[in-house]
Amino acid sequence: MVDVPIAAQALPAGAPRPTPTDHTGTGIRGALRAAPGATVTLALAVPAGSIAALLLPAAVAGSVDAVVRGDSASGPTVRLIAVLVLGLLAALLAEIAGSGLTAELTARLRRRLAVHVIDLGTGSRNPLPAGDVTSRLVGAASDAAGLVPSLLGSLGALVTSLGGIVALALIDPWLAVGFLGGVLPGLLVVRVLMARATDPFTRYQALQGALAGRLTDALAGARTIRACGTRDREIARILAPLPDLSTAGRGMWQAQRSAAVRVLLLAPLVELAVLATAGWLLAEGRILPGQLVAAVGYAALGLGFLEQMEALVGVAHARAGRVRAAELLAIEPAGYGTARTLPPGAANWSSGACGCGCRRGKPARVRVGRCSTGST
């Protein structure tokens, strides 16, 4: 069995390093070409959900102020119901369109990778083992296909958070000051997470492909392994990347866990700071009771981006899968001629003697025939 180094499995020798603009077809343009309806629906549903989320605290505040003043609450209640319905429809459409877009992009990318693998053939043009190619077709393709939905979800959460901060400033500038004083460290946490999560994901997928490639080689040579009695040695060879795989997986989960713990500790402190500031402003008569309720809601929206750990991890996972798919597509297949007719000149086929034999332990030449051009 030929033991291909893991570094060679992760990136073929001589292949150019892929860039984010590689033609994997999983970007915005590729999504519009593959599923324009789902892409447009998702692009409209995400901002609609953000608008509904930003209108909800204001609608609740209107209902609270109407009850406190003793006025009729029918109008504010109708507006509150309309905002809730808008948010529900936007979330439903985003879920359906996102799932459909991911499925369509996955199918197209897998089909393209499969055709590319067939074009490469089984010779030296494809230095990747069969198991690694399979892992890219199965795992990396589906991960890369989730790039656009994950990005749109993260952007929607960012817009909602910025809108919540602006709404706090419109209620009273001191609310925005109290919020920003506690949320700026959280932004550093998110940046560290994105920097630390992408590399472990890429390393983890490369090691998975290496493990699958070794297993596929062993299955192909199962008879040889049985005949030679090298089963234990092959098991050790196949499982050699397992410690590195465990290390990469632990590093991946460690980065996600540390970021989640920091965010979970930060969020209640920021909300308490905003609530204390709003209580002080209410006691001073600078805001209404409904605005205090709205301030709590907008503080939660402002922290929503920090709580999008799953979406951020999805973006990192999609980027790693896109790199893996681009590495396979970067391998150039063999070129073929385009001539439709034979070159001028007469050519005849003459069958010669056919035979096979051995001479002094060395195989003899096998003659099948010869083709001569311009002669008979």
Side-chain angles (χ1 to χ4, degrees):
M1 295 293 172
V2 178
D3 196 5
V4 181
I6 295 176
Q9 296 173 358
L11 186 61
R17 170 63 66 177
T19 62
T21 57
D22 276 333
H23 303 292
T24 57
T26 55
I28 297 294
R29 295 181 180 178
L32 287 173
R33 289 193 298 266
T39 305
V40 173
T41 301
L42 184 62
L44 294 178
V46 170
S50 299
I51 292 173
L54 292 173
L55 291 178
L56 184 58
V60 174
S63 299
V64 171
D65 288 337
V67 172
V68 171
R69 292 193 304 266
D71 299 337
S72 175
S74 58
T77 302
V78 171
R79 287 193 292 270
L80 178 59
I81 294 174
V83 171
L84 291 174
V85 171
L86 176 61
L88 178 62
L89 291 177
L92 183 62
L93 289 176
E95 184 68 23
I96 295 175
S99 300
L101 177 60
T102 302
E104 181 65 25
L105 289 177
T106 301
R108 284 177 174 262
L109 183 56
R110 283 177 177 169
R111 187 182 304 114
R112 184 176 180 184
L113 289 174
V115 171
H116 188 72
V117 170
I118 294 173
D119 291 340
L120 291 176
T122 58
S124 60
R125 278 286 179 176
N126 188 359
L128 299 176
D132 186 64
V133 172
T134 303
S135 70
R136 295 172 194 258
L137 285 170
V138 177
S142 61
D143 293 336
L147 180 62
V148 173
S150 298
L151 280 177
L152 290 178
S154 299
L155 289 176
L158 176 61
V159 170
T160 304
S161 299
L162 293 177
I165 298 172
V166 172
L168 286 175
L170 292 177
I171 295 175
D172 194 279
W174 281 107
L175 294 175
V177 171
F179 180 86
L180 292 175
V183 81
L184 289 180
L187 295 178
L188 297 178
V189 171
V190 172
R191 179 175 179 82
V192 170
L193 170 66
M194 293 302 297
R196 292 182 178 178
T198 300
D199 290 339
F201 270 128
T202 306
R203 179 67 176 166
Y204 188 81
Q205 290 182 351
L207 290 169
Q208 272 188 327
L211 195 64
R214 295 172 184 228
L215 179 59
T216 305
D217 291 341
L219 291 176
R223 294 182 178 179
T224 305
I225 295 172
R226 186 184 301 112
C228 298
T230 58
R231 183 187 62 180
D232 295 337
R233 189 171 64 183
E234 282 300 313
I235 292 176
R237 186 187 69 86
I238 293 170
L239 298 182
L242 198 57
D244 293 336
L245 183 69
S246 176
T247 302
R250 291 178 184 274
M252 180 178 62
W253 287 111
Q254 178 65 28
Q256 184 177 353
R257 181 180 62 183
S258 60
V261 168
R262 291 187 180 96
V263 169
L264 290 177
L265 292 176
L266 178 66
L269 295 178
V270 174
E271 291 182 350
L272 285 176
V274 172
L275 185 59
T277 305
W280 169 68
L281 294 174
L282 179 63
E284 294 291 329
R286 296 176 57 175
I287 62 174
L288 299 175
Q291 291 177 321
L292 184 145
V293 176
V296 176
Y298 284 126
L301 291 179
L303 291 170
F305 183 73
L306 300 180
E307 297 174 357
Q308 295 293 319
M309 289 295 106
E310 184 177 355
L312 293 175
V313 170
V315 173
H317 213 163
R319 289 170 59 186
R322 195 182 187 194
V323 170
R324 295 265 296 162
E327 286 176 358
L328 180 57
L329 293 175
I331 305 175
E332 293 292 337
Y336 299 95
T338 58
R340 295 291 182 178
T341 59
L342 293 174
N348 295 321
W349 172 265
S350 61
S351 60
C354 299
C356 179
C358 295
R359 180 179 300 175
R360 295 181 181 179
K362 297 182 180 180
R365 293 183 178 179
V366 179
R367 182 182 179 187
V368 177
R370 58 195 180 101
C371 180
S372 60
T373 305
S375 62
T376 58

